[in-house]
Amino acid sequence: MALLEIRKATRRFGHFVAVREVSLEIEAGEFFTLLGPSGCGKTTLLRLIAGFDTPDEGRILLDGCDITLTPPERRPVHTIFQSYALFPHMTVADNVAFPLRMARVAHGEIRVRVAQALREVQLAGMGERLPQELSGGQKQRVAIARALIDRPRVLLLDEPLAALDLKLREQMQLELITLQRLVGITFVYVTHDQGEALALSHRIGVMNAGRIVQLGAPDAVYEFPQTRFVADFIGTCNLLEGTVRRQTGARLTLEVSGLGELAASARTPVQVGERGVLAVRPEKVRIAAQIVPAPGEVHLQGVIHDQLYLGDVTVYKVELAGGRLLEALLPNSAAGVVKFFEVGDHVDLAWRAEAALFLHD
Amino acid sequence: MARRAALYAAALVAYAFLYVPLVIVVLFSFSASHLGTRWAGFTLHWYRVLLHDAAMLHAAWNSVIIALAASLAATVFGTLAALATRKYRLRFLPVLVLAPLSTPDILQGVSLLVFFVLLNVTLGLKSVMLAHISFCIAYVAIVVSSRLAGMDPSLVEAARDLGASPWKGFWLITLPLLAPGIMAGGLLAFTMSIDDFVITFFTAGAGTTTLPLRIYTMIKVAVTPEVNAVSTLLMASTLVLVLSISKLAPQALKGMG
Ligand SMILES: Nc1ncnc2c1ncn2[C@@H]1O[C@H](COP(=O)(O)OP(=O)(O)OP(=O)(O)O)[C@@H](O)[C@H]1O
Ligand SMILES: [Mg+2]
């Protein structure tokens, strides 16, 4: 049985549906991430789990018990807020002790456990400080220590790293992974940063307009997006619109206007004559001055239109026949070579048919 | 450069206009002359006279009692009003709570008088207290509201999330964080009450007098140095209160009418 189960939860604000029939099962010990663009309902869904809000329809179960109407203080679920929500009039130690005080744990034990918790987040000796005397990263750690001190079953994190600068964010990501493995508590993590979602999670639920549109392991979601939205939202993806002409098993032939027939693969049932997009990731596209296509490879020609030097890789925008642009990625791995192509160079492009997914519109 | 000089000069004139009259009152309260508007050497005589003026002391006592009762009651109700406005987010609620701030005193005074007469309330200390409570609530509500607006709503949610009941959340988080605002609101209500003239004038009835009423009665006869002395004391205590308010809730005094 899943630890946390959401059954067809819907939350409306007036006529606006913020969360629409979301069903979700999250296992004990899982690092689950809700990923989606701003306003898609991630925070609203998290608030339903925390108990700050109740769904208009649907149920929420924890360990098989219906907690849909249980007030937040009686759910073994804690939240890390984006603003950290540290109590400004209490010291760090009193903040961390708060859940234990509410649970009427004995004073002596509180002192021991708070000291222990502060050590665990590398804040030993800072217990007497006030929150406003801490840096952003330290506040974050206090919030984590406070939320984990009474070992909740589920920890909800609403964009906890959004306020930190890039370096600190990367460091905190690693710390979060380590911490989650260590304590084994289920994390439900909200972010609109796809890189963060891919790096941290066991599983990702991609949300759009109040729905979960795809659910799966990071690599599955990245490699095999099921919709155009997911392909576009996670990473960058070349999308070529076309019509299905022929189908043999999982292999399709797609008619793309201006480019002729291209091979693609499908992971869902497809009908001949159906319109959709061919999705291929830039790093799956081979680019070279001359390519002899291997069997099963799609082969195209184009002209370098633009290039974006990013240090480790260079992104080339290649203009295809009919003026369409396609992105290809080349790692700058050769020593001593800075540039492979110039704008205006004629290049060959190729990719394996399996790398090109057909997605329904 | 010239522009700046002109600016300073203009500011000087403006502040002089505001404060020179007050300075004159303070100055003449120490003047040995019998006329309240002439200087004739330094003396503390008028303060001694004040100390022995039974009617004046009685009026002051009334004022303090009224201001204490009004500010205490208004602090409670005003805080509750601020909390309710925040919680229920009804558009008309803030208007209802804050309208007295922009209603002319004379209108409030007259309407309260009519109201008390209709209800057969005997005019006196109690009716003045009720009247003061009614206009002080708005002052407390506006100060506490501004403090509330600056408070991160996720703090109370965090408290609930971490195991606090709604009551505990209020007691341990909301109230301590609002405390400076509540104190400032109470002090503001106190100053508003203690120097109110118009509303008090209408609701006090014949037998009851307060400090501002008493001062008014005295200057109807003549501006005596004793009036200057009592005004100076009133001013000093108001100043202390206002300074404490600005210390407690710096944002509270901004945007105040
Ligand atoms: N209390 C509310 N009243 C009315 N509308 C609301 C309320 N809370 C959220 N919404 C609306 O619901 C939608 C989803 O909001 P939500 O905060 O869940 O988005 P989100 O996915 O967390 O976005 P972000 O990444 O920007 O935080 C938004 O369009 C928002 O305007
Ligand atoms: Mg959000």
Side-chain angles (χ1 to χ4, degrees), chain B residues 106-192:
Chain B
I106 187 115
L107 196 70
Q108 286 187 61
V110 171
S111 59
L112 280 165
L113 173 63
V114 172
F115 185 63
F116 287 144
V117 169
L118 273 179
L119 288 184
N120 251 333
V121 176
T122 331
L123 298 184
L125 217 51
K126 289 207 191 68
S127 61
V128 177
M129 279 180 193
L130 287 174
H132 282 211
I133 291 171
S134 86
F135 77 79
C136 284
I137 286 177
Y139 289 102
V140 178
I142 199 171
V143 176
V144 176
S145 286
S146 81
R147 181 91 191 168
L148 254 182
M151 202 175 121
D152 180 359
S154 55
L155 288 175
V156 175
E157 284 184 343
R160 296 289 306 279
D161 189 65
L162 297 168
S165 63
W167 174 246
K168 275 248 161 98
F170 176 75
W171 196 247
L172 296 175
I173 308 299
T174 313
L175 208 55
L177 290 176
L178 287 186
I182 296 174
M183 292 275 289
L187 290 177
L188 187 62
F190 189 90
T191 59
M192 290 300 163

Side-chain angles (χ1 to χ4, degrees), chain A residues 258-276:
Chain A
L259 298 175
E261 297 196 333
L262 299 179
S265 61
R267 299 177 60 86
T268 49
V270 172
Q271 254 128 52
V272 172
E274 193 177 340
R275 288 192 57 79

Side-chain angles (χ1 to χ4, degrees), chain A residues 3-310:
Chain A
L3 174 68
L4 180 68
E5 191 182 341
I6 299 164
R7 286 192 196 152
K8 292 203 157 189
T10 296
R11 178 71 174 109
R12 295 187 197 89
F13 296 110
H15 289 295
F16 180 78
V17 188
V19 169
R20 192 184 291 263
E21 292 197 2
V22 167
S23 293
L24 201 57
E25 289 189 12
I26 297 171
E27 302 296 329
E30 193 175 354
F31 196 128
F32 184 87
T33 298
L34 285 169
L35 172 67
S38 187
C40 71
K42 307 179 295 289
T43 298
T44 306
L45 183 55
L46 217 59
R47 292 173 60 82
L48 297 180
I49 303 174
F52 303 138
D53 201 359
T54 46
D56 296 308
E57 282 152 39
R59 312 264 85 193
I60 296 167
L61 290 84
L62 189 77
D63 256 341
C65 298
D66 191 327
I67 57 160
T68 315
L69 299 174
T70 309
E73 64 269 25
R74 287 204 258 116
R75 300 184 185 201
V77 173
H78 289 340
T79 308
I80 305 271
F81 294 83
Q82 189 177 332
S83 61
Y84 313 127
L86 300 181
F87 306 132
H89 58 304
M90 295 185 193
T91 62
V92 166
D94 284 339
N95 264 281
V96 175
F98 192 86
L100 300 180
R101 295 235 163 87
M102 291 305 105
R104 298 179 185 282
V105 173
H107 283 286
E109 193 189 334
I110 290 182
R111 208 162 339 108
V112 175
R113 281 171 70 179
V114 167
Q116 164 77 16
L118 288 178
R119 263 198 308 279
E120 276 171 15
V121 293
Q122 288 113 50
L123 288 174
M126 299 216 183
E128 291 317 304
R129 292 215 196 163
L130 287 172
Q132 54 267 36
E133 297 164 355
L134 301 178
S135 73
Q138 289 169 333
K139 283 183 194 160
Q140 177 80 73
R141 290 201 179 90
V142 176
I144 291 173
R146 186 177 70 174
L148 289 177
I149 195 161
D150 63 344
R151 298 290 173 225
R153 304 297 306 277
V154 180
L155 186 66
L156 310 173
L157 304 99
D158 193 353
E159 312 209 19
L161 307 184
L164 305 179
D165 62 54
L166 185 66
K167 265 274 178 288
L168 193 55
R169 192 152 72 221
E170 284 172 352
Q171 184 195 332
M172 287 302 296
Q173 285 176 3
L174 291 175
E175 283 185 25
L176 275 179
I177 297 181
T178 318
L179 183 73
Q180 199 268 340
R181 307 277 135 95
L182 190 75
V183 296
I185 290 172
T186 306
F187 277 28
V188 181
Y189 191 94
V190 159
T191 182
H192 58 247
D193 178 340
Q194 35 115 358
E196 204 164 283
L198 294 173
L200 293 175
S201 336
H202 294 131
R203 241 170 10 126
I204 297 175
V206 186
M207 282 189 81
N208 188 28
R211 288 176 205 276
I212 298 224
V213 290
Q214 189 167 350
L215 204 61
D219 49 352
V221 172
Y222 183 82
E223 296 287 336
F224 307 114
Q226 284 164 5
T227 61
R228 182 183 182 144
F229 169 80
V230 176
D232 210 21
F233 186 70
I234 301 183
T236 39
C237 204
N238 293 301
L239 299 170
L240 302 171
E241 286 174 22
T243 312
V244 178
R245 284 287 171 243
R246 285 187 302 283
Q247 180 178 23
T248 34
R251 184 65 51 89
L252 306 175
T253 305
L254 223 62
E255 164 94 36
V256 178
S257 71
L259 298 175
E261 297 196 333
L262 299 179
S265 61
R267 299 177 60 86
T268 49
V270 172
Q271 254 128 52
V272 172
E274 193 177 340
R275 288 192 57 79
V277 290
L278 181 150
V280 58
R281 299 244 180 234
E283 71 273 16
K284 303 277 199 270
V285 177
R286 277 212 289 150
I287 176 169
Q290 210 134 45
I291 295 178
V292 182
E297 263 192 339
V298 173
H299 185 238
L300 289 174
Q301 282 169 332
V303 176
I304 302 280
H305 177 270
D306 216 349
Q307 56 182 350
L308 205 62
Y309 176 72
L310 298 177

